[in-house]
Amino acid sequence: MRLLLAAVVVLPLLGAGAALLPAPPGLRGRSPEQAVLRHGVTVTGAVLAATAVLALGFDHDRPGTMQAETDIGWIPALGVRIHLGTDGVSLPLLVLTALLTFLCALYSYHRPPEGPRPQAFVALVLLLEAGTLATFAVLDLMLFFLAFETVLIPMYFLIARWGGAGRERAAWRFVLYTLLGSVVMLLGLLLVGLGAEGGPTFDMTALAEDGGRGLTHTTQLLAALAIGIGLAVKTPMWPLHSWLPDAHTAAPTVGSVLLAGVLLKMGTYGFVRIVLPVVPDGIHTLAPYLAAFAVTGIIYGSLACLALSRSGAGGDLKRLIAYSSVGHMGFVLLGVATLTRTGVNGALFANIAHGLITGLLFFLVGAVKDRTGTTDLDRLALGGGERGGGAALYGRAPRLGGLLAFGAVASLGLPGLAGFWGEMLALLGAYHPADGLSRPAYLVFMALAALGTLLTAAYLLVVVRRVCMGTPHAPGAAPAPGTALPDVRGHEFAAWIPLVVLTVLAGLWPAILLGLTGPAVQNLLPGVSR
């Protein structure tokens, strides 16, 4: 198991290097470009298979215990170690990352990205996967920081070289925001590691067991604030979110799927893995402010989406889904800010649900743009675009329209689908926050977040009506005839159906995730009674 977890982290890194080498003559297929895209599918498929074996071999009777550990000294003078391991918190994120990256590679094999050499594209996707998997697997603060920063380079180039209009500006904003946040986060990590009881150490498990002993309240507060700012930028939390809509709008389809599906989860994972157990007194002081920012993001994201969905507003469907992520991740932060087991479990569940549902939505929006040449909501509502006009999506590509409607109702939190449980548990956590937190204030936060769920339902139903059903024609007038669009293709079914199945499975059987996260959260928050 130790070797398997190490292989999961290292294999995509080796695959990234191999993607830049010339393909052997017998493996070139029709062209070198096809060979390297097939290489991407092979490597990500091997990583997914290894992650699946890791999940099957995981001791599900002890999900709160760190398993598959590797612990090797690296920089003894600073107490930095190569420490890997997984528990019920990180295992679902490892599986999600491996699955989404494989589906992106499969999608790209059949629809290669428009842009420079595919060798570089595949290498960057694999490097991105390696950094993300390492972020969820490492148990040393310095290794966490290195892995956290590794993903910036490939995502920057994926946006800047394979993105759409405005890609260079969006890529620069993404890098500048995240780099500035990371500098602040590094100061907080150093403050915790160098001030640890018993000497410098950056081992997460040792620091979590200490629970902040040896750090004064002021030190914990400063560390929680510094680390929290860096993590909040990546989450993204309002008002540090403004890089996200531009990055999503400009990114290629695969970039948007990975950005929403896994990169945003790195920030919220850091809150649960590092901030809550390592500096508990500091985050207890900051929790009400974190909750206030979270619910502000929920309302702001929903209102922004409502504005974009209005007829005549010239809204972009891809940008709307990006703003929806600000609201959905607000529920994750609200769950964390309750400092309760219920709220944190809800945050972790919502993390996975958002990755599945929003990843599916970005796949679908990319397919709509491929077929119509636009993501402009007004043009889609009229059945327009660069490649035809007339009826809306239900009449022109019914399967694609049906999947888009499914993704929308899953995103609005329909009971029985994955999006419901995380938001409900976050609200329940706010109803009974941790001891010492103001319950009246959290009841206000809960009410505002509940209002956000209504606003979310409103804008997503408007999107379904306009894009899938079209703009109503005048009474007595016949609807405009529509030009048929290619419906869902075989490779698209292969890339999307796993996300649909898992969204339904997690909605109908939430224990499949909560059974993993519950005991692990209990170990991370030992002093919390509920």
Side-chain angles (χ1 to χ4, degrees):
M1 291 289 285
R2 290 197 301 267
L3 294 175
L4 195 58
L5 180 59
V8 165
V9 175
V10 173
L11 185 58
L13 191 61
L14 298 177
L20 300 175
L21 301 176
L27 298 177
R28 288 179 184 173
R30 292 193 299 269
S31 66
E33 289 75 15
Q34 186 200 41
V36 75
L37 292 171
R38 186 171 60 245
H39 170 79
V41 175
T42 302
V43 175
T44 56
V47 173
L48 177 59
T51 309
V53 174
L54 180 70
L56 292 173
F58 186 83
D59 188 348
H60 292 264
D61 293 329
R62 300 184 301 114
T65 303
M66 200 61 65
Q67 301 179 35
E69 281 192 86
T70 297
D71 193 0
I72 304 171
W74 188 29
I75 308 176
L78 296 177
V80 179
R81 306 183 64 80
I82 299 176
H83 191 180
L84 306 177
T86 186
D87 63 356
V89 171
S90 57
L91 182 63
L93 291 167
L94 290 171
V95 175
L96 177 68
T97 301
L99 174 64
L100 283 177
T101 312
F102 170 70
L103 297 180
C104 285
L106 183 65
Y107 183 85
S108 299
Y109 178 75
H110 292 278
R111 183 164 182 81
E114 298 178 1
R117 299 168 62 236
Q119 289 87 346
F121 176 84
V122 171
L124 290 169
V125 169
L126 290 173
L127 180 60
L128 184 68
E129 181 181 32
T132 310
L133 290 170
T135 301
F136 299 139
V138 298
L139 296 172
D140 183 276
L141 292 180
M142 289 298 100
L143 287 182
F144 175 86
F145 178 77
L146 292 175
F148 196 85
E149 295 304 290
T150 297
V151 302
L152 300 184
I153 299 170
M155 183 52 70
Y156 167 81
F157 282 108
L158 286 174
I159 297 173
R161 301 190 67 182
W162 286 273
R167 59 182 183 240
E168 292 184 2
R169 178 177 180 271
W172 273 111
R173 290 193 71 184
F174 165 74
V175 166
L176 289 177
Y177 266 77
T178 49
L179 274 180
L180 289 174
S182 297
V183 169
V184 178
M185 183 177 72
L186 178 60
L187 296 177
L189 296 177
L190 291 172
L191 195 61
V192 168
L194 297 177
E197 188 177 40
T201 181
F202 294 95
D203 188 274
M204 292 184 192
T205 55
L207 291 169
E209 289 174 2
D210 288 344
R213 293 192 302 271
L215 300 176
T216 65
H217 178 75
T218 301
T219 302
Q220 287 200 37
L221 182 62
L222 291 174
L225 181 62
I227 299 171
I229 288 174
L231 297 173
V233 171
K234 188 66 72 72
T235 298
M237 180 187 76
W238 181 93
L240 304 174
H241 70 284
S242 59
W243 61 269
L244 182 70
D246 288 341
H248 269 310
T249 305
T253 297
V254 167
S256 292
V257 171
L258 293 176
L259 180 58
V262 293
L263 262 67
L264 303 189
K265 313 303 175 282
M266 296 165 63
T268 49
Y269 171 78
F271 274 105
V272 176
R273 176 65 73 196
I274 299 173
V275 178
L276 294 185
V278 174
V279 284
D281 293 342
I283 191 59
H284 193 281
T285 301
L286 295 176
Y289 304 98
L290 178 62
F293 283 122
V295 296
T296 303
I298 293 170
I299 299 298
Y300 171 82
S302 300
L303 291 176
C305 290
L306 273 174
L308 289 171
S309 66
R310 286 188 304 110
S311 178
D316 184 276
L317 182 56
K318 203 173 184 184
R319 194 174 189 85
L320 183 146
I321 296 173
Y323 270 111
S324 76
S325 291
V326 177
H328 289 306
M329 298 308 289
F331 279 98
V332 178
L333 290 173
L334 176 61
V336 171
T338 66
L339 305 184
T340 63
R341 295 176 186 172
T342 300
V344 174
N345 275 298
L348 294 172
F349 197 103
N351 243 357
I352 301 298
H354 179 265
L356 295 172
I357 297 168
T358 308
L360 174 63
L361 284 172
F362 275 118
F363 268 135
L364 294 168
V365 173
V368 170
K369 185 175 183 179
D370 289 341
R371 287 159 170 77
T372 64
T374 185
T375 52
D376 183 275
L377 278 167
D378 291 330
R379 299 174 70 184
L380 291 172
L382 295 171
E386 298 171 4
R387 301 172 190 153
L393 208 54
Y394 279 159
R396 304 174 70 191
R399 292 187 183 89
L400 181 60
L403 283 171
L404 183 60
F406 171 84
V409 297
S411 185
L412 63 82
L414 185 73
L417 298 176
F420 171 74
W421 295 105
E423 295 181 1
M424 188 196 73
L425 290 172
L427 293 174
L428 288 176
Y431 185 74
H432 278 299
D435 295 338
L437 298 177
S438 171
R439 191 172 182 225
Y442 273 80
L443 289 176
V444 173
F445 297 150
M446 183 191 72
L448 291 174
L451 174 62
T453 63
L454 297 178
L455 296 175
T456 300
Y459 72 73
L460 285 171
L461 291 176
V462 169
V463 168
V464 171
R465 179 182 62 80
R466 297 190 66 205
V467 176
C468 296
M469 302 174 66
T471 302
H473 55 277
T483 304
L485 295 174
D487 214 334
V488 181
R489 302 180 177 96
H491 71 276
E492 292 172 331
F493 263 124
W496 303 342
I497 291 303
L499 301 179
V500 173
V501 171
L502 289 174
T503 298
V504 175
L505 181 62
L508 296 178
W509 189 20
I512 197 171
L513 282 176
L514 296 177
L516 287 172
T517 62
V521 169
Q522 184 175 348
N523 280 0
L524 290 173
L525 304 174
V528 178
S529 59
R530 58 179 178 272

